[in-house]
Amino acid sequence: MAGKGGKASPAGLSAHNYGLAFDFVCDASPRPGVQPDWRESAYRVLGEESTKAGLVWGGRFGDSPHVQWPGYVSALQLKPLRVLVQQSSLADVWAHLDAERLSPKWRAANPKLAAELERLGF
């Protein structure tokens, strides 16, 4: 992320590349247009709620506006997805993640997120 946000990952080694991460921005002012507030305190509620849902909050590693899917945080964890995209397509990454998400092992490792997804009908 450019500016005062989080730390940018090398190309292909960001969860954003696979649709597994997103960044929020808090508006620091009621004036028209967005005046970004990059203070960590502005994102505490985001961190609490995303963690409650079983997601990974970027505040753990100095990127407070960032939230992502668990299990694919480091470059090492993302490497298999990068290989899958290079050999096939992003659609195959999503098929892989969907199958993984439905496995008992994944559900046991991510009980909060599994329950939240089930509540939402996924």
Side-chain angles (χ1 to χ4, degrees):
M1 177 189 281
K4 297 181 182 178
K7 302 169 186 169
S9 294
L13 297 177
S14 167
H16 291 282
N17 291 99
Y18 309 101
L20 299 177
F22 44 95
D23 294 320
F24 292 83
V25 65
C26 289
D27 195 348
S29 171
R31 295 187 328 242
V34 176
Q35 290 77 44
D37 183 347
W38 299 118
R39 294 172 303 132
E40 183 176 334
S41 61
Y43 297 90
R44 280 211 183 97
V45 171
L46 172 67
E48 291 168 7
E49 295 302 317
S50 59
T51 301
K52 273 190 219 174
L55 297 168
V56 176
W57 177 47
R60 284 184 19 197
F61 45 84
D63 191 358
S64 297
H66 179 93
V67 174
Q68 73 179 70
W69 193 258
Y72 294 97
V73 178
S74 72
L76 183 62
Q77 292 169 324
L78 287 164
K79 188 176 180 180
L81 301 185
R82 184 178 189 188
V83 169
L84 192 53
V85 163
Q86 290 170 339
Q87 293 176 348
S88 189
S89 70
L90 187 56
D92 285 340
V93 168
W94 279 91
H96 167 80
L97 292 170
D98 222 21
E100 182 179 77
R101 174 182 66 83
L102 296 173
S103 76
K105 182 179 176 182
W106 186 91
R107 296 178 71 74
N110 299 283
K112 292 178 192 176
L113 186 53
E116 188 65 15
L117 290 169
E118 188 173 321
R119 184 185 74 78
L120 294 170
F122 291 97

